[in-house]
Amino acid sequence: MNVIIIEDEKPSARRLQRMLKALDIEAETMLHSVEESIAWFQENEHPDLIFLDIQLSDGLSFEIFEAIKINSAVIFTTAYDEYALQAFKLNSIDYLLKPIDEDDLKTAVEKFKGRTPQKQSVSLDFNDIKKLLVNPIEREYKKRFSVKVGQHIKLINIEDIECIYSENKGTYAHTSEGRDYLLDVTLDQLEDELEPDVFFRISRKFYVNINAIKDIISYTNSRLQIKLNHFSEQEVIVSRERVKDFKNWLE
C-alpha cells in the first residue's frame, strides 16, 4: 500500500508515521505545506491513501485539490469537531480527530482496506467549506481551571492566567497575582481548549496570554523574547519555527 502523510506539524507527522508503522504500514513520504504537496503530486504517482491535515502552514489543504486532480483515498486528520466536519461533505474514507487515538486509526485503516479496490477522486464542496470558514461553528473554550491548594480547591479564571508552561514533567499556570498553580493537564491537551485569539503556543514549553505581553524583543537565532507583566521565573522565548505564526497571531 502506498501511503503518504500531509501534515504541517512535523512532530505530529512523525507520531502518525510511527502509529502506522505499528499497523505494518510504511508512510515514507511526509509533506508539510500546500505548495510542497502540489509540487509533489505533479511529479509523483499518486498514492493509494493520503492522511491529510485540513489546516496547513500556508493554507487549507483543500487548495491542493483545487490545483491538482487527485485520485487517492483520503483520511482527514483535524482538530475540527464532528459537527463542523459534516459541513465539508467530503468523499473521504474517514476522518480522525486530533490527538489521534490508536484504536480510531486502526478502525479507519481497516475501513479503507475493506472498501472496493477502485480508486476514486475526492469530491469537495468548496462553497460549504467557505461557509464554514466565514461562519465557524461556535466553540466553547475553557473559562477556568480548578486546582488543588493544600486541602482546598481553588478556581482560576482563564483571564487571570498570564502563561501556561511545562517544567519537570508538570504543567503550571502563572497568574497575574504572581502565583504558579499545578494543572492536571499537558500542554498538548490544552490545544483545543484555549481561546486561540487569546492564547498562543510559542514553543513546546509555553502558552502565553496576549493580554499579558509587556514587551517583545529580538533574540538570538531569529527568535523572540517575550516580557510578561508579572512572570519572571525564566525566559519566555518564541521558538524560531513559531516566530512567523506568532507575528501573524499578534495582528
Side-chain angles (χ1 to χ4, degrees):
M1 189 194 309
N2 186 6
V3 176
I4 70 169
I5 296 170
I6 302 178
E7 162 69 66
D8 66 330
E9 296 183 359
K10 294 183 180 180
S12 296
R14 290 192 293 268
R15 177 175 180 267
L16 177 55
Q17 186 184 46
R18 291 193 298 270
M19 293 171 72
L20 288 169
K21 189 174 181 63
L23 298 174
D24 295 322
I25 297 174
E26 297 288 343
E28 295 181 357
T29 299
M30 292 191 289
L31 308 171
H32 306 294
S33 69
V34 172
E35 182 180 3
E36 182 185 16
S37 299
I38 291 173
W40 187 90
F41 279 111
Q42 288 173 334
E43 299 294 332
N44 294 272
E45 181 182 355
H46 294 186
D48 301 305
L49 177 62
I50 305 168
F51 284 88
L52 181 65
D53 187 17
I54 288 178
Q55 182 70 57
L56 299 175
S57 58
D58 58 346
L60 292 174
S61 59
F62 306 112
E63 296 172 26
I64 301 169
F65 298 97
E66 289 182 314
I68 301 288
K69 181 176 175 59
I70 295 176
N71 297 312
S72 304
V74 178
I75 295 177
F76 287 94
T77 61
T78 177
Y80 284 100
D81 59 29
E82 292 183 28
Y83 179 68
L85 276 175
Q86 292 174 9
F88 292 122
K89 294 182 180 177
L90 298 170
N91 176 23
S92 63
I93 294 301
D94 211 339
Y95 54 82
L96 299 169
L97 298 179
K98 294 181 179 179
I100 296 173
D101 178 80
E102 291 181 3
D103 291 336
D104 291 342
L105 176 61
K106 183 178 180 180
T107 299
V109 169
E110 289 175 348
K111 183 177 177 182
F112 166 74
K113 289 181 176 179
R115 73 178 190 132
T116 54
Q118 295 88 355
K119 290 185 179 180
Q120 297 178 358
S121 61
V122 179
S123 174
L124 302 175
D125 190 329
F126 290 104
N127 288 328
D128 277 345
I129 294 169
K130 290 171 183 175
K131 287 177 185 176
L132 177 64
L133 297 176
V134 173
N135 301 300
I137 305 299
E138 289 189 8
R139 179 178 298 217
E140 285 292 324
Y141 293 102
K142 204 164 188 65
K143 293 182 173 61
R144 65 190 64 85
F145 288 97
S146 61
V147 298
K148 188 175 181 180
V149 181
Q151 299 300 313
H152 302 272
I153 300 294
K154 179 179 176 64
L155 295 178
I156 305 175
N157 292 325
I158 201 75
E159 59 267 22
D160 296 329
I161 296 176
E162 288 197 346
C163 65
I164 302 174
Y165 65 96
S166 61
E167 186 174 58
N168 297 326
K169 298 184 179 181
T171 303
Y172 298 86
H174 185 88
T175 68
S176 54
E177 297 175 339
R179 296 282 304 275
D180 293 282
Y181 296 95
L182 180 63
L183 305 179
D184 190 24
V185 292
T186 66
L187 292 186
D188 288 340
Q189 290 170 334
L190 290 173
E191 182 176 352
D192 298 323
E193 296 189 13
L194 298 175
E195 170 61 60
D197 290 339
V198 178
F199 284 89
F200 185 85
R201 189 169 185 175
I202 60 169
S203 66
R204 287 180 294 178
K205 191 173 181 178
F206 269 96
Y207 274 101
V208 296
N209 184 334
I210 194 170
N211 300 307
I213 295 176
K214 181 169 61 176
D215 196 9
I216 303 171
I217 307 166
S218 295
Y219 200 67
T220 59
N221 296 326
S222 301
R223 296 176 295 171
L224 297 172
Q225 181 179 20
I226 296 176
K227 297 292 186 181
L228 300 174
N229 290 329
H230 302 94
F231 183 83
S232 57
E233 281 83 345
Q234 55 184 287
E235 290 185 328
V236 182
I237 306 297
V238 183
S239 63
R240 186 167 56 182
E241 61 269 19
R242 300 293 288 156
V243 166
K244 181 179 178 181
D245 290 338
F246 175 71
K247 289 179 177 178
N248 291 336
W249 175 71
L250 289 175
E251 298 174 358

